[in-house]
Amino acid sequence: MTTISVPKATLQRYPIYLKALRRLKKNGITRIMSKDLSRMIDIEPTTIRRDFSFLGNLGKQGYGYDVEKLITVFNQQLGVEFDEKIILVGAGNLGRALLNYNKWDHVVGEIKCGFDADDKKCGSQFGIEIYPMDQLEELIPEGCHIAILTISHDVQKTVDRLVQCGITGIVDFTHQHISAPKGVYIKAVDVVSSIQELVFITNSIDKATK
């Protein structure tokens, strides 16, 4: 893998590009011009060309970009396959909403299965199998490193079990303080805080315009 230095803002746009490229490939489109990609994702063509330039000379003037080549370059140069096996822990209301959404398969992979302590929530949901929590160690997919956590009880105990199973990345919707050993990354998602931030920003704008 080639070591590259890419600005943070550019890195944050790469998943957007990849999602669009995978959608194009799925629809049988083999090449794309930056102006056409721009219309798909609402990013300026000049920005797209500059972002892609960090990964090498990928396009040809008048021809555009080879969709398959771009996807391959993302995988090889960034060192990520974007096909992660993800598990969901907690199949309650929020968990079911995530299962129903599950549109990130064009970007990072897909939810392979879920686990829940309530047997009534186990079984197939939106085409994804939900297993009892006591089968976590037995049925977690091989090579799985990412878990989405939406439970409200025994959170730390569950995190400890996930780490023992090889999970190194946790998307945390629990709003509880949890700890994990070095090398395990936790990304907390707090919708309420996001709304509060937006309320503050919009109110500040309203007051400034009055």
Side-chain angles (χ1 to χ4, degrees):
M1 181 183 68
T2 303
T3 301
I4 55 176
S5 179
V6 182
K8 183 178 179 181
T10 295
L11 284 173
Q12 291 174 338
R13 286 189 289 269
Y14 280 161
I16 300 173
Y17 298 140
L18 186 61
K19 183 174 183 178
L21 291 165
R22 287 197 162 184
R23 190 183 303 123
L24 289 167
K25 180 181 176 181
K26 186 177 181 180
N27 292 334
I29 298 173
T30 58
R31 65 186 176 97
I32 185 77
M33 304 290 288
S34 59
K35 62 180 181 180
D36 298 322
L37 184 58
S38 172
R39 284 193 288 267
M40 285 183 63
I41 58 179
D42 197 26
I43 295 176
E44 288 294 323
T46 52
T47 301
I48 293 173
R49 291 193 293 270
R50 184 175 66 248
D51 288 348
F52 286 0
S53 70
F54 287 103
L55 301 179
N57 186 17
L58 304 179
K60 296 179 182 179
Q61 189 171 3
Y63 176 86
Y65 296 95
D66 183 292
V67 171
E68 184 67 39
K69 180 181 178 181
L70 272 178
I71 293 173
T72 299
V73 169
F74 273 116
N75 291 342
Q76 293 177 345
Q77 297 254 25
L78 299 179
V80 188
E81 289 299 328
F82 292 98
D83 285 319
E84 286 288 339
K85 300 173 184 176
I86 305 168
I87 62 169
L88 174 74
V89 182
N93 291 335
L94 177 56
R96 286 196 297 272
L98 292 171
L99 289 172
N100 185 32
Y101 176 73
N102 203 14
K103 292 180 180 177
W104 44 70
D105 57 327
H106 291 300
V107 184
V108 294
E110 62 182 352
I111 297 176
K112 292 293 185 179
C113 65
F115 297 88
D116 199 283
D118 186 352
D119 289 341
K120 295 178 181 177
K121 296 174 183 174
C122 295
S124 181
Q125 294 196 35
F126 304 103
I128 299 170
E129 196 67 27
I130 308 299
Y131 302 111
M133 273 300 299
D134 58 13
Q135 297 183 30
L136 174 66
E137 288 78 4
E138 177 186 355
L139 296 177
I140 188 170
E142 184 178 356
C144 177
H145 301 292
I146 305 294
I148 301 173
L149 200 59
T150 64
I151 59 177
S152 56
H153 301 289
D154 297 325
V155 178
Q156 185 62 59
K157 179 180 177 181
T158 301
V159 169
D160 294 340
R161 290 177 65 187
L162 290 170
V163 172
Q164 289 296 317
C165 290
I167 294 296
T168 54
I170 297 172
V171 182
D172 174 29
F173 285 91
T174 68
H175 300 165
Q176 295 189 27
H177 174 73
I178 54 179
S179 60
K182 186 177 180 180
V184 176
Y185 300 91
I186 299 174
K187 179 67 174 179
V189 180
D190 191 338
V191 177
V192 173
S193 293
S194 297
I195 295 173
Q196 288 176 331
E197 181 180 350
L198 286 173
V199 168
F200 176 79
I201 292 172
T202 55
N203 284 341
S204 298
I205 294 173
D206 290 342
K207 291 176 180 179
T209 56
K210 288 181 180 179

